[in-house]
Each structure stands twice: as structure tokens, then as C-alpha cells.
Amino acid sequence: MSGPRHADRPSHVARFTSASTSEDSALNPDALEVAPGTVHESVQGWVPALATEEELRIALEKAFDYRGDVTITLKNNSKIEGYLFDRTTGPSLATSFVRILPKDSPQKLKIAYAEIAALAFTGRDTAAGKSWEAWVGKYWEKKATGKGDLSLQPESLE
């Protein structure tokens, strides 16, 4: 069961329908849309094949956008698990770097793309399923059943 959306309330529907007047047409969100929305793919648990330079670059871009920990295996077989928070791309793998906050150390590490043998998305994506729509759906469900705390405070990540 999901609750009504704010935009579906009667006071809002008439303003954004085809029956709206020409002065309201400038407020039509469909007419104002200039770019498609972003589709977030789930990469949690993914271990990409890094056979080519392009595959490595694509995987590291996804790791940079990921909101959980990754595990990087270096060519010397050592592993570093932590949050990848920055990257610098250059013309070659030797001049491209990632920066990572290791899980077990406060020291930031800088690693050249050329040193990376494998990458795994091992940590939990802390923002997965935390969309506004999901939160509103849970709120309306709690309100309908009368259960739970109905405060407008965000839930704990833990």
C-alpha cells in the first residue's frame, strides 16, 4: 500500500493537466523537463572484469559514485578495503589515480590505476532504497496502521 503523492492532491492536479490555462503552462513539469532522470544501477557485490583499460576506467568511475566500501586488489596481491572518495584521470593508467580512505586506517591512500589488478564492490550501499518515494511510502504505511513513530526525522543508517 502506498500513500498519495503530494502532486496528486486535488489542489495540484488541475494546474498541471492539459485542461490548464495558458498562463499555467509555464509551470508544467513535463514541458520544463530538459534531461532524462538518472537510473541508478545496483553494483553492490559486483566484481567487474578488468580486462581492458576502458573496463578499468569505467569500473573506477562507478566505484567513485558508489556510496559504500570497495576492495582494491593491487598487482602485488595486497588488498585495501575502504571508501573511494576521489579520482584523477590522466591520459594513461600510470598518470590516473584514485584516493581511498582505508577501513582500518585514518590515512588517505593514493593509488595509480596501473597498480590495480582487481576491484570489488564489497561494502553495503548506504543509500540503496533511500529514495524520497520509499520514505513517503513507509510514512503513509505507518500512518495508516497507527504504528511507529511518525516524526519527520530521517531513519538511522545503522
Side-chain angles (χ1 to χ4, degrees), residues 45-136:
W46 180 45
V47 180
L50 304 179
T52 67
E53 179 177 331
E54 182 180 358
E55 289 174 341
L56 175 64
R57 288 181 183 275
I58 290 169
L60 288 171
E61 277 301 309
K62 289 182 181 189
F64 173 71
D65 291 335
Y66 188 58
R67 295 149 301 191
D69 285 349
V70 297
T71 300
I72 295 176
T73 303
L74 302 177
K75 291 188 176 173
N76 67 7
N77 286 329
S78 62
K79 292 186 179 196
I80 302 165
E81 183 177 5
Y83 182 72
L84 194 149
F85 70 95
D86 191 17
R87 86 282 191 222
T88 303
T89 56
S92 70
L93 295 181
T95 60
S96 300
F97 299 91
V98 293
R99 293 177 59 201
I100 190 167
L101 289 167
K103 198 173 191 176
D104 56 357
S105 169
Q107 180 184 3
K108 298 172 187 171
L109 300 177
K110 184 176 179 180
I111 303 167
Y113 283 22
E115 296 176 28
I116 299 173
L119 173 69
F121 293 79
T122 51
R124 177 170 103 31
D125 186 347
T126 57
K130 301 289 184 184
S131 70
W132 171 250
E133 291 82 10
W135 182 87
V136 170

Side-chain angles (χ1 to χ4, degrees), residues 135-156:
W135 182 87
V136 170
K138 288 179 188 176
Y139 176 85
W140 283 109
E141 186 177 313
K142 285 180 184 178
K143 186 169 185 165
T145 61
K147 296 180 183 175
D149 179 22
L150 293 178
S151 70
L152 295 176
Q153 302 301 317
E155 296 175 3
S156 171

